[in-house]
Amino acid sequence: MTKIVGQDSGTIAPGAGPFTEACSWEIKPGFQLSDPQRIVIGVRTWDANAKFTLSVYDGMASDGTLLYSYTQGSGRPREVRARLHSLATIVFTPEAGTDSSALELYWYTSVLCSSSETVTLSDQEGSIGSGPGPYKNTMACNWLVAPGGVPDGYHVAFKITMLDTAADDAYVRISNGNGNKLAQYSGSDIPSKEIGCPTASCQVYWHTGEVSNGNMHTGFALQYYLSDGDITPATVDFPVWAIIVIVFVGVFAVLFFFGCIRKLCKVSCCDSDSSSSSSSSSAATRSWNTDSTYH
């Protein structure tokens, strides 16, 4: 049994069962996607003990390309991005009598990394991602999020929904409209807190370096939307040369300060010695004059 799903985002839950046959869903967003938009499919909750196979295809299951297949014991199901623009199919195949009440899938459309040109997004909500499959060498993608008609008291916020990078070769950075960094992430720990952007436009930048052979990391995905939550303060990254200059100036200032203190001490001591010498000379003169008077 195949169901046609026409929305551009939503959830799917097969239900409790017991099941006697496979179920499938064809995801066809209600508008025509254009490059670099893609359908993204993921699993929100699942029962690791339930016996079923979950398959995701580009296009139709009958003639499409298998993107991903999950079976019991193969770890947490990962998020999958379709390579085609307008159709993806999910096939759920349970063993007889399987109870899959804990299984819930989700899907949405996302603007993925496809070139080095900046992609401008004017919607008040949407999704951004690094691209289908494992990421490649030297990727550099920019998205400018600049929605119109933002109500007073609201701003653009970002929420990381998927993060899977090697810690040393890739990162996603979120900045305000002035280019000041609000947050930067790599690794696999998904932050729970949203990132609030204080300016009318915000930037998302995805970068990869020299990726190791056999890389299986899939990058990142995030959602953006309007929020009345907290604003994230900007941070400034100092380049290495600036840090060296600051350290050099600081050391010079300390040496200069102590040099001045030493000079002041020497002047003070000299003045004291001069005063003592003058006093001794005056006393000696008075003593000589006194002796001369008696003789």
Side-chain angles (χ1 to χ4, degrees):
M1 180 178 62
T2 300
K3 296 181 180 179
I4 308 297
V5 182
Q7 296 87 355
D8 58 346
S9 65
T11 59
I12 295 172
F19 298 95
T20 58
E21 61 180 359
C23 301
S24 62
W25 299 264
E26 290 183 2
I27 309 299
K28 292 183 176 181
F31 55 92
Q32 183 64 37
L33 300 183
S34 59
D35 202 21
Q37 291 177 301
R38 295 291 189 276
I39 301 169
V40 181
I41 299 169
V43 176
R44 181 165 294 149
T45 59
W46 89 107
D47 183 356
N49 296 317
K51 297 180 179 180
F52 63 87
T53 300
L54 188 66
S55 303
V56 179
Y57 294 87
D58 254 339
M60 300 182 66
S62 58
D63 57 3
T65 301
L66 178 65
L67 296 175
Y68 177 69
S69 180
Y70 168 84
T71 56
Q72 182 189 19
S74 57
R76 180 182 179 85
R78 63 178 176 84
E79 198 170 68
V80 181
R81 301 103 189 259
R83 293 181 173 87
L84 298 180
H85 297 318
S86 56
L87 174 62
T89 303
I90 303 170
V91 179
F92 169 72
T93 309
E95 290 190 8
T98 296
D99 180 353
S100 296
S101 57
L103 179 64
E104 183 181 21
L105 301 93
Y106 62 87
W107 82 93
Y108 59 90
T109 57
S110 180
V111 181
L112 304 181
C113 178
S114 62
S115 71
S116 59
E117 296 181 0
T118 298
V119 176
T120 300
L121 304 173
S122 57
D123 294 334
Q124 293 186 351
E125 61 179 0
S127 301
I128 296 171
S130 54
Y135 55 78
K136 301 175 178 61
N137 281 331
T138 59
M139 298 177 72
C141 291
N142 292 277
W143 296 266
L144 179 65
V145 181
V150 178
D152 292 340
Y154 282 78
H155 57 269
V156 177
F158 298 88
K159 186 75 171 63
I160 302 293
T161 57
M162 190 274 289
L163 186 64
D164 178 27
T165 79
D168 58 349
D169 68 13
Y171 62 83
V172 56
R173 182 173 64 228
I174 300 171
S175 306
N176 61 24
N178 301 319
N180 299 320
K181 184 178 72 175
L182 301 176
Q184 181 170 305
Y185 300 107
S186 61
S188 58
D189 293 332
I190 298 177
S192 58
K193 190 175 182 181
E194 71 177 21
I195 302 98
C197 180
T199 52
S201 62
C202 314
Q203 303 174 47
V204 177
Y205 175 66
W206 165 246
H207 167 84
T208 68
E210 293 297 325
V211 179
S212 60
N213 292 332
N215 171 57
M216 294 303 296
H217 295 291
T218 53
F220 84 98
L222 62 76
Q223 294 178 335
Y224 66 89
Y225 48 88
L226 300 186
S227 171
D228 59 355
D230 295 335
I231 295 292
T232 303
T235 59
V236 178
D237 287 334
F238 287 100
V240 175
W241 65 264
I243 296 174
I244 293 174
V245 170
I246 291 172
V247 172
F248 177 80
V249 171
V251 171
F252 178 80
V254 170
L255 293 176
F256 180 78
F257 175 77
F258 281 106
C260 290
I261 294 296
R262 290 183 63 187
K263 287 183 179 180
L264 289 174
C265 289
K266 285 183 178 180
V267 170
S268 177
C269 291
C270 289
D271 290 343
S272 177
D273 292 342
S274 298
S275 298
S276 300
S277 299
S278 298
S279 299
S280 299
S281 299
S282 299
T285 302
R286 285 196 300 272
S287 175
W288 184 82
N289 289 335
T290 303
D291 292 342
S292 297
T293 301
Y294 283 108
H295 292 286

Short mmCIF file of all heavy atoms in Angstrom, two decimals, residues 91-158:
data_model
loop_
_atom_site.label_atom_id
_atom_site.label_comp_id
_atom_site.label_asym_id
_atom_site.label_seq_id
_atom_site.Cartn_x
_atom_site.Cartn_y
_atom_site.Cartn_z
N VAL A 91 9.94 3.20 2.24
CA VAL A 91 9.32 1.87 2.30
C VAL A 91 9.60 1.26 3.67
O VAL A 91 10.76 1.13 4.08
CB VAL A 91 9.85 0.94 1.19
CG1 VAL A 91 9.20 -0.43 1.30
CG2 VAL A 91 9.60 1.54 -0.19
N PHE A 92 8.53 0.91 4.36
CA PHE A 92 8.60 0.30 5.69
C PHE A 92 8.19 -1.16 5.56
O PHE A 92 7.05 -1.47 5.18
CB PHE A 92 7.68 1.06 6.65
CG PHE A 92 7.47 0.38 7.97
CD1 PHE A 92 8.48 0.34 8.91
CD2 PHE A 92 6.25 -0.20 8.27
CE1 PHE A 92 8.28 -0.27 10.14
CE2 PHE A 92 6.03 -0.82 9.50
CZ PHE A 92 7.06 -0.85 10.43
N THR A 93 9.13 -2.08 5.84
CA THR A 93 8.85 -3.51 5.70
C THR A 93 9.06 -4.20 7.04
O THR A 93 10.19 -4.46 7.46
CB THR A 93 9.79 -4.14 4.65
OG1 THR A 93 9.74 -3.39 3.44
CG2 THR A 93 9.39 -5.58 4.38
N PRO A 94 7.99 -4.50 7.77
CA PRO A 94 8.13 -5.14 9.08
C PRO A 94 8.04 -6.66 8.98
O PRO A 94 7.52 -7.21 8.01
CB PRO A 94 6.91 -4.61 9.84
CG PRO A 94 5.87 -4.47 8.77
CD PRO A 94 6.60 -4.12 7.49
N GLU A 95 8.58 -7.31 9.99
CA GLU A 95 8.32 -8.74 10.12
C GLU A 95 6.89 -8.93 10.63
O GLU A 95 6.32 -8.05 11.27
CB GLU A 95 9.31 -9.39 11.08
CG GLU A 95 10.73 -9.49 10.54
CD GLU A 95 11.62 -10.34 11.42
OE1 GLU A 95 11.09 -10.97 12.37
OE2 GLU A 95 12.83 -10.38 11.17
N ALA A 96 6.32 -10.06 10.35
CA ALA A 96 4.93 -10.32 10.74
C ALA A 96 4.75 -10.15 12.24
O ALA A 96 5.53 -10.68 13.04
CB ALA A 96 4.52 -11.72 10.31
N GLY A 97 3.73 -9.39 12.61
CA GLY A 97 3.42 -9.21 14.03
C GLY A 97 4.23 -8.13 14.73
O GLY A 97 4.10 -7.94 15.94
N THR A 98 5.06 -7.40 13.99
CA THR A 98 5.90 -6.37 14.61
C THR A 98 5.05 -5.22 15.12
O THR A 98 4.14 -4.74 14.44
CB THR A 98 6.93 -5.84 13.59
OG1 THR A 98 7.80 -6.90 13.25
CG2 THR A 98 7.73 -4.69 14.18
N ASP A 99 5.36 -4.75 16.34
CA ASP A 99 4.72 -3.57 16.92
C ASP A 99 5.70 -2.41 16.76
O ASP A 99 6.77 -2.40 17.37
CB ASP A 99 4.41 -3.80 18.40
CG ASP A 99 3.74 -2.58 19.04
OD1 ASP A 99 3.65 -1.53 18.38
OD2 ASP A 99 3.34 -2.69 20.22
N SER A 100 5.35 -1.45 15.93
CA SER A 100 6.25 -0.32 15.66
C SER A 100 5.61 1.00 16.08
O SER A 100 5.71 2.02 15.41
CB SER A 100 6.62 -0.27 14.18
OG SER A 100 7.34 -1.41 13.82
N SER A 101 4.93 0.98 17.21
CA SER A 101 4.25 2.19 17.67
C SER A 101 5.23 3.31 18.00
O SER A 101 4.86 4.48 18.03
CB SER A 101 3.39 1.87 18.90
OG SER A 101 4.19 1.30 19.94
N ALA A 102 6.51 2.96 18.27
CA ALA A 102 7.49 3.99 18.63
C ALA A 102 8.12 4.65 17.41
O ALA A 102 8.84 5.63 17.54
CB ALA A 102 8.59 3.37 19.49
N LEU A 103 7.86 4.14 16.21
CA LEU A 103 8.51 4.66 15.01
C LEU A 103 7.79 5.91 14.51
O LEU A 103 6.59 5.93 14.31
CB LEU A 103 8.52 3.61 13.91
CG LEU A 103 9.16 4.03 12.58
CD1 LEU A 103 10.65 4.32 12.78
CD2 LEU A 103 8.95 2.95 11.53
N GLU A 104 8.58 6.98 14.31
CA GLU A 104 8.05 8.21 13.72
C GLU A 104 9.12 8.80 12.80
O GLU A 104 10.27 8.98 13.20
CB GLU A 104 7.66 9.23 14.78
CG GLU A 104 7.04 10.49 14.20
CD GLU A 104 6.67 11.51 15.26
OE1 GLU A 104 7.23 11.43 16.37
OE2 GLU A 104 5.84 12.40 14.97
N LEU A 105 8.74 9.08 11.57
CA LEU A 105 9.64 9.68 10.60
C LEU A 105 9.22 11.12 10.34
O LEU A 105 8.08 11.52 10.60
CB LEU A 105 9.63 8.90 9.28
CG LEU A 105 10.03 7.42 9.34
CD1 LEU A 105 8.80 6.54 9.50
CD2 LEU A 105 10.80 7.03 8.09
N TYR A 106 10.15 11.91 9.80
CA TYR A 106 9.84 13.28 9.42
C TYR A 106 10.46 13.57 8.06
O TYR A 106 11.38 12.89 7.61
CB TYR A 106 10.36 14.27 10.46
CG TYR A 106 11.87 14.26 10.63
CD1 TYR A 106 12.69 15.05 9.82
CD2 TYR A 106 12.47 13.46 11.59
CE1 TYR A 106 14.07 15.02 9.97
CE2 TYR A 106 13.85 13.44 11.74
CZ TYR A 106 14.64 14.23 10.94
OH TYR A 106 16.00 14.20 11.08
N TRP A 107 9.98 14.59 7.40
CA TRP A 107 10.59 15.05 6.16
C TRP A 107 10.39 16.56 6.04
O TRP A 107 9.49 17.14 6.63
CB TRP A 107 10.00 14.32 4.95
CG TRP A 107 8.70 14.88 4.46
CD1 TRP A 107 8.50 15.81 3.48
CD2 TRP A 107 7.40 14.55 4.96
NE1 TRP A 107 7.17 16.09 3.34
CE2 TRP A 107 6.48 15.32 4.23
CE3 TRP A 107 6.92 13.69 5.95
CZ2 TRP A 107 5.11 15.24 4.46
CZ3 TRP A 107 5.57 13.61 6.18
CH2 TRP A 107 4.68 14.38 5.44
N TYR A 108 11.25 17.18 5.28
CA TYR A 108 11.14 18.60 4.97
C TYR A 108 11.98 18.89 3.73
O TYR A 108 12.76 18.04 3.28
CB TYR A 108 11.60 19.47 6.15
CG TYR A 108 13.02 19.25 6.58
CD1 TYR A 108 14.07 19.98 6.03
CD2 TYR A 108 13.33 18.30 7.56
CE1 TYR A 108 15.39 19.77 6.44
CE2 TYR A 108 14.64 18.09 7.97
CZ TYR A 108 15.66 18.84 7.41
OH TYR A 108 16.95 18.63 7.81
N THR A 109 11.82 20.05 3.15
CA THR A 109 12.65 20.45 2.01
C THR A 109 13.75 21.36 2.50
O THR A 109 13.56 22.16 3.42
CB THR A 109 11.81 21.17 0.95
OG1 THR A 109 11.16 22.30 1.53
CG2 THR A 109 10.76 20.23 0.37
N SER A 110 14.92 21.26 1.89
CA SER A 110 16.09 21.99 2.36
C SER A 110 16.88 22.53 1.18
O SER A 110 16.90 21.93 0.10
CB SER A 110 16.98 21.05 3.20
OG SER A 110 18.12 21.73 3.67
N VAL A 111 17.52 23.69 1.40
CA VAL A 111 18.42 24.27 0.41
C VAL A 111 19.83 23.78 0.72
O VAL A 111 20.41 24.13 1.74
CB VAL A 111 18.37 25.81 0.43
CG1 VAL A 111 19.31 26.38 -0.63
CG2 VAL A 111 16.95 26.29 0.19
N LEU A 112 20.39 22.95 -0.16
CA LEU A 112 21.65 22.28 0.11
C LEU A 112 22.82 22.99 -0.56
O LEU A 112 22.65 23.81 -1.45
CB LEU A 112 21.57 20.83 -0.36
CG LEU A 112 20.43 19.99 0.23
CD1 LEU A 112 20.50 18.58 -0.30
CD2 LEU A 112 20.49 20.01 1.74
N CYS A 113 24.01 22.64 -0.10
CA CYS A 113 25.24 23.21 -0.64
C CYS A 113 25.50 22.64 -2.02
O CYS A 113 25.64 21.43 -2.19
CB CYS A 113 26.40 22.88 0.30
SG CYS A 113 28.00 23.47 -0.26
N SER A 114 25.57 23.51 -3.03
CA SER A 114 25.81 23.04 -4.39
C SER A 114 26.85 23.85 -5.14
O SER A 114 27.31 23.44 -6.19
CB SER A 114 24.50 23.04 -5.19
OG SER A 114 24.00 24.36 -5.31
N SER A 115 27.22 25.03 -4.66
CA SER A 115 28.22 25.85 -5.34
C SER A 115 28.80 26.83 -4.34
O SER A 115 28.37 26.91 -3.19
CB SER A 115 27.59 26.60 -6.51
OG SER A 115 26.73 27.62 -6.03
N SER A 116 29.79 27.61 -4.79
CA SER A 116 30.42 28.60 -3.92
C SER A 116 29.67 29.93 -3.93
O SER A 116 30.04 30.85 -3.19
CB SER A 116 31.87 28.82 -4.36
OG SER A 116 31.91 29.27 -5.71
N GLU A 117 28.64 30.06 -4.75
CA GLU A 117 27.88 31.29 -4.81
C GLU A 117 26.94 31.40 -3.60
O GLU A 117 26.45 30.40 -3.08
CB GLU A 117 27.06 31.36 -6.10
CG GLU A 117 27.91 31.40 -7.36
CD GLU A 117 27.06 31.48 -8.61
OE1 GLU A 117 25.82 31.51 -8.47
OE2 GLU A 117 27.63 31.52 -9.71
N THR A 118 26.71 32.64 -3.16
CA THR A 118 25.81 32.87 -2.03
C THR A 118 24.36 32.71 -2.47
O THR A 118 23.93 33.31 -3.46
CB THR A 118 26.02 34.27 -1.45
OG1 THR A 118 27.36 34.39 -0.97
CG2 THR A 118 25.06 34.54 -0.30
N VAL A 119 23.62 31.89 -1.72
CA VAL A 119 22.20 31.69 -1.99
C VAL A 119 21.40 32.55 -1.01
O VAL A 119 21.59 32.45 0.21
CB VAL A 119 21.80 30.21 -1.82
CG1 VAL A 119 20.30 30.03 -2.02
CG2 VAL A 119 22.58 29.34 -2.81
N THR A 120 20.54 33.42 -1.53
CA THR A 120 19.73 34.30 -0.68
C THR A 120 18.37 33.67 -0.44
O THR A 120 17.69 33.26 -1.40
CB THR A 120 19.57 35.68 -1.33
OG1 THR A 120 20.86 36.27 -1.52
CG2 THR A 120 18.73 36.59 -0.44
N LEU A 121 17.97 33.59 0.82
CA LEU A 121 16.70 32.98 1.22
C LEU A 121 15.83 34.06 1.86
O LEU A 121 16.23 34.68 2.85
CB LEU A 121 16.94 31.83 2.20
CG LEU A 121 17.90 30.74 1.71
CD1 LEU A 121 18.21 29.76 2.82
CD2 LEU A 121 17.32 30.01 0.50
N SER A 122 14.64 34.28 1.31
CA SER A 122 13.78 35.36 1.80
C SER A 122 12.56 34.85 2.57
O SER A 122 11.78 35.65 3.07
CB SER A 122 13.31 36.23 0.63
OG SER A 122 12.64 35.45 -0.35
N ASP A 123 12.38 33.53 2.66
CA ASP A 123 11.25 32.99 3.42
C ASP A 123 11.49 33.19 4.92
O ASP A 123 12.63 33.28 5.38
CB ASP A 123 11.08 31.51 3.13
CG ASP A 123 10.66 31.26 1.69
OD1 ASP A 123 10.05 32.17 1.09
OD2 ASP A 123 10.95 30.17 1.17
N GLN A 124 10.41 33.20 5.68
CA GLN A 124 10.51 33.37 7.12
C GLN A 124 10.85 32.08 7.85
O GLN A 124 11.14 32.11 9.05
CB GLN A 124 9.22 33.97 7.68
CG GLN A 124 8.97 35.39 7.21
CD GLN A 124 7.76 36.01 7.87
OE1 GLN A 124 6.99 35.35 8.57
NE2 GLN A 124 7.58 37.31 7.67
N GLU A 125 10.85 30.98 7.16
CA GLU A 125 11.28 29.72 7.73
C GLU A 125 11.74 28.79 6.62
O GLU A 125 11.31 28.92 5.47
CB GLU A 125 10.18 29.06 8.56
CG GLU A 125 8.94 28.71 7.76
CD GLU A 125 7.89 28.04 8.62
OE1 GLU A 125 8.12 27.85 9.82
OE2 GLU A 125 6.82 27.70 8.07
N GLY A 126 12.63 27.89 6.97
CA GLY A 126 13.13 26.96 5.97
C GLY A 126 14.26 26.12 6.55
O GLY A 126 14.51 26.13 7.76
N SER A 127 14.94 25.40 5.68
CA SER A 127 16.02 24.50 6.11
C SER A 127 17.22 24.67 5.19
O SER A 127 17.09 25.01 4.02
CB SER A 127 15.54 23.04 6.07
OG SER A 127 14.41 22.86 6.92
N ILE A 128 18.39 24.39 5.76
CA ILE A 128 19.67 24.50 5.04
C ILE A 128 20.48 23.26 5.39
O ILE A 128 20.45 22.79 6.53
CB ILE A 128 20.44 25.77 5.45
CG1 ILE A 128 19.66 27.02 5.04
CG2 ILE A 128 21.83 25.79 4.84
CD1 ILE A 128 20.24 28.29 5.61
N GLY A 129 21.22 22.73 4.42
CA GLY A 129 22.05 21.57 4.70
C GLY A 129 23.27 21.52 3.81
O GLY A 129 23.37 22.25 2.82
N SER A 130 24.20 20.63 4.15
CA SER A 130 25.48 20.55 3.44
C SER A 130 25.38 19.77 2.14
O SER A 130 26.24 19.93 1.27
CB SER A 130 26.54 19.92 4.34
OG SER A 130 26.10 18.67 4.83
N GLY A 131 24.38 18.93 1.98
CA GLY A 131 24.25 18.20 0.72
C GLY A 131 24.01 16.72 0.94
O GLY A 131 24.21 16.21 2.04
N PRO A 132 23.59 16.02 -0.10
CA PRO A 132 23.33 14.59 0.05
C PRO A 132 24.62 13.79 0.18
O PRO A 132 25.63 14.09 -0.45
CB PRO A 132 22.60 14.24 -1.25
CG PRO A 132 23.08 15.25 -2.23
CD PRO A 132 23.30 16.51 -1.44
N GLY A 133 24.57 12.78 1.03
CA GLY A 133 25.71 11.87 1.15
C GLY A 133 26.88 12.47 1.90
O GLY A 133 26.82 13.60 2.41
N PRO A 134 27.98 11.73 2.02
CA PRO A 134 29.19 12.23 2.68
C PRO A 134 29.70 13.48 1.98
O PRO A 134 29.66 13.60 0.76
CB PRO A 134 30.18 11.07 2.54
CG PRO A 134 29.32 9.85 2.37
CD PRO A 134 28.14 10.31 1.60
N TYR A 135 30.18 14.45 2.78
CA TYR A 135 30.67 15.70 2.18
C TYR A 135 32.03 15.49 1.53
O TYR A 135 32.75 14.55 1.81
CB TYR A 135 30.71 16.82 3.21
CG TYR A 135 31.49 16.55 4.47
CD1 TYR A 135 32.88 16.62 4.49
CD2 TYR A 135 30.84 16.26 5.67
CE1 TYR A 135 33.60 16.40 5.66
CE2 TYR A 135 31.54 16.04 6.83
CZ TYR A 135 32.92 16.11 6.83
OH TYR A 135 33.64 15.89 7.98
N LYS A 136 32.37 16.43 0.65
CA LYS A 136 33.55 16.31 -0.18
C LYS A 136 34.63 17.32 0.24
O LYS A 136 34.40 18.16 1.10
CB LYS A 136 33.19 16.51 -1.66
CG LYS A 136 32.14 15.52 -2.16
CD LYS A 136 31.74 15.85 -3.58
CE LYS A 136 30.73 14.85 -4.13
NZ LYS A 136 29.49 14.83 -3.35
N ASN A 137 35.77 17.24 -0.44
CA ASN A 137 36.87 18.16 -0.19
C ASN A 137 36.50 19.60 -0.55
O ASN A 137 35.74 19.85 -1.49
CB ASN A 137 38.10 17.78 -1.03
CG ASN A 137 38.86 16.62 -0.42
OD1 ASN A 137 38.85 16.41 0.78
ND2 ASN A 137 39.53 15.85 -1.26
N THR A 138 37.09 20.52 0.20
CA THR A 138 37.07 21.97 -0.08
C THR A 138 35.71 22.48 -0.51
O THR A 138 35.56 23.15 -1.54
CB THR A 138 38.12 22.32 -1.16
OG1 THR A 138 37.83 21.57 -2.37
CG2 THR A 138 39.52 21.98 -0.69
N MET A 139 34.69 22.17 0.27
CA MET A 139 33.37 22.76 0.04
C MET A 139 33.32 24.11 0.75
O MET A 139 33.86 24.29 1.84
CB MET A 139 32.26 21.84 0.58
CG MET A 139 32.20 20.48 -0.10
SD MET A 139 30.91 19.40 0.63
CE MET A 139 29.43 20.20 0.03
N ALA A 140 32.68 25.08 0.10
CA ALA A 140 32.53 26.42 0.68
C ALA A 140 31.21 26.99 0.19
O ALA A 140 31.09 27.43 -0.95
CB ALA A 140 33.69 27.32 0.29
N CYS A 141 30.19 26.96 1.04
CA CYS A 141 28.86 27.40 0.65
C CYS A 141 28.38 28.49 1.60
O CYS A 141 28.62 28.43 2.81
CB CYS A 141 27.88 26.24 0.66
SG CYS A 141 28.18 25.04 -0.65
N ASN A 142 27.69 29.48 1.03
CA ASN A 142 27.16 30.59 1.81
C ASN A 142 25.66 30.71 1.58
O ASN A 142 25.19 30.62 0.43
CB ASN A 142 27.81 31.91 1.40
CG ASN A 142 29.27 31.99 1.78
OD1 ASN A 142 29.61 32.32 2.90
ND2 ASN A 142 30.15 31.68 0.82
N TRP A 143 24.92 30.91 2.65
CA TRP A 143 23.51 31.21 2.57
C TRP A 143 23.25 32.53 3.30
O TRP A 143 23.71 32.72 4.44
CB TRP A 143 22.67 30.13 3.23
CG TRP A 143 22.75 28.78 2.58
CD1 TRP A 143 21.92 28.26 1.63
CD2 TRP A 143 23.70 27.74 2.87
NE1 TRP A 143 22.30 26.99 1.31
CE2 TRP A 143 23.39 26.63 2.05
CE3 TRP A 143 24.79 27.64 3.74
CZ2 TRP A 143 24.11 25.46 2.07
CZ3 TRP A 143 25.52 26.48 3.75
CH2 TRP A 143 25.18 25.40 2.93
N LEU A 144 22.55 33.44 2.66
CA LEU A 144 22.15 34.70 3.28
C LEU A 144 20.66 34.61 3.58
O LEU A 144 19.83 34.55 2.67
CB LEU A 144 22.44 35.88 2.35
CG LEU A 144 22.05 37.26 2.89
CD1 LEU A 144 22.89 37.62 4.11
CD2 LEU A 144 22.18 38.32 1.81
N VAL A 145 20.31 34.57 4.85
CA VAL A 145 18.91 34.47 5.28
C VAL A 145 18.42 35.88 5.57
O VAL A 145 18.87 36.53 6.52
CB VAL A 145 18.78 33.58 6.53
CG1 VAL A 145 17.31 33.46 6.94
CG2 VAL A 145 19.37 32.20 6.25
N ALA A 146 17.51 36.37 4.73
CA ALA A 146 17.04 37.75 4.85
C ALA A 146 15.53 37.79 4.63
O ALA A 146 15.05 38.25 3.59
CB ALA A 146 17.76 38.64 3.84
N PRO A 147 14.74 37.32 5.59
CA PRO A 147 13.29 37.31 5.42
C PRO A 147 12.71 38.71 5.52
O PRO A 147 13.23 39.58 6.23
CB PRO A 147 12.82 36.42 6.58
CG PRO A 147 13.87 36.59 7.63
CD PRO A 147 15.16 36.76 6.88
N GLY A 148 11.62 38.92 4.82
CA GLY A 148 10.93 40.19 4.90
C GLY A 148 9.73 40.12 5.82
O GLY A 148 9.23 39.05 6.16
N GLY A 149 9.25 41.29 6.23
CA GLY A 149 8.05 41.36 7.06
C GLY A 149 8.17 40.75 8.42
O GLY A 149 7.20 40.18 8.95
N VAL A 150 9.36 40.86 9.05
CA VAL A 150 9.55 40.31 10.40
C VAL A 150 8.81 41.19 11.41
O VAL A 150 9.07 42.39 11.48
CB VAL A 150 11.04 40.23 10.76
CG1 VAL A 150 11.23 39.69 12.16
CG2 VAL A 150 11.79 39.35 9.75
N PRO A 151 7.90 40.65 12.21
CA PRO A 151 7.15 41.46 13.18
C PRO A 151 8.07 42.05 14.25
O PRO A 151 9.15 41.52 14.53
CB PRO A 151 6.16 40.46 13.79
CG PRO A 151 6.14 39.30 12.85
CD PRO A 151 7.49 39.24 12.23
N ASP A 152 7.64 43.14 14.84
CA ASP A 152 8.39 43.74 15.94
C ASP A 152 8.53 42.74 17.09
O ASP A 152 7.58 42.03 17.43
CB ASP A 152 7.68 45.00 16.45
CG ASP A 152 7.72 46.14 15.43
OD1 ASP A 152 8.59 46.07 14.53
OD2 ASP A 152 6.89 47.06 15.53
N GLY A 153 9.72 42.70 17.67
CA GLY A 153 9.97 41.80 18.79
C GLY A 153 10.43 40.42 18.36
O GLY A 153 10.71 39.58 19.22
N TYR A 154 10.52 40.18 17.05
CA TYR A 154 10.96 38.87 16.55
C TYR A 154 12.26 39.03 15.77
O TYR A 154 12.61 40.12 15.30
CB TYR A 154 9.90 38.24 15.65
CG TYR A 154 8.75 37.63 16.41
CD1 TYR A 154 7.75 38.42 16.94
CD2 TYR A 154 8.67 36.25 16.61
CE1 TYR A 154 6.69 37.86 17.66
CE2 TYR A 154 7.63 35.68 17.32
CZ TYR A 154 6.65 36.50 17.85
OH TYR A 154 5.62 35.94 18.56
N HIS A 155 12.98 37.94 15.62
CA HIS A 155 14.22 37.90 14.88
C HIS A 155 14.40 36.51 14.28
O HIS A 155 13.66 35.59 14.63
CB HIS A 155 15.41 38.25 15.79
CG HIS A 155 15.51 37.33 16.97
ND1 HIS A 155 14.90 37.61 18.18
CD2 HIS A 155 16.11 36.12 17.14
CE1 HIS A 155 15.13 36.63 19.03
NE2 HIS A 155 15.87 35.71 18.42
N VAL A 156 15.37 36.35 13.40
CA VAL A 156 15.65 35.04 12.82
C VAL A 156 16.44 34.20 13.82
O VAL A 156 17.38 34.70 14.45
CB VAL A 156 16.45 35.17 11.51
CG1 VAL A 156 16.80 33.79 10.96
CG2 VAL A 156 15.66 35.96 10.48
N ALA A 157 16.05 32.95 13.98
CA ALA A 157 16.76 32.02 14.87
C ALA A 157 17.09 30.76 14.08
O ALA A 157 16.43 30.42 13.09
CB ALA A 157 15.92 31.68 16.09
N PHE A 158 18.14 30.07 14.53
CA PHE A 158 18.61 28.86 13.87
C PHE A 158 18.66 27.72 14.88
O PHE A 158 18.98 27.93 16.05
CB PHE A 158 20.01 29.07 13.28
CG PHE A 158 20.08 30.13 12.24
CD1 PHE A 158 20.30 31.45 12.59
CD2 PHE A 158 19.92 29.82 10.90
CE1 PHE A 158 20.36 32.45 11.63
CE2 PHE A 158 19.98 30.79 9.94
CZ PHE A 158 20.21 32.11 10.30
#
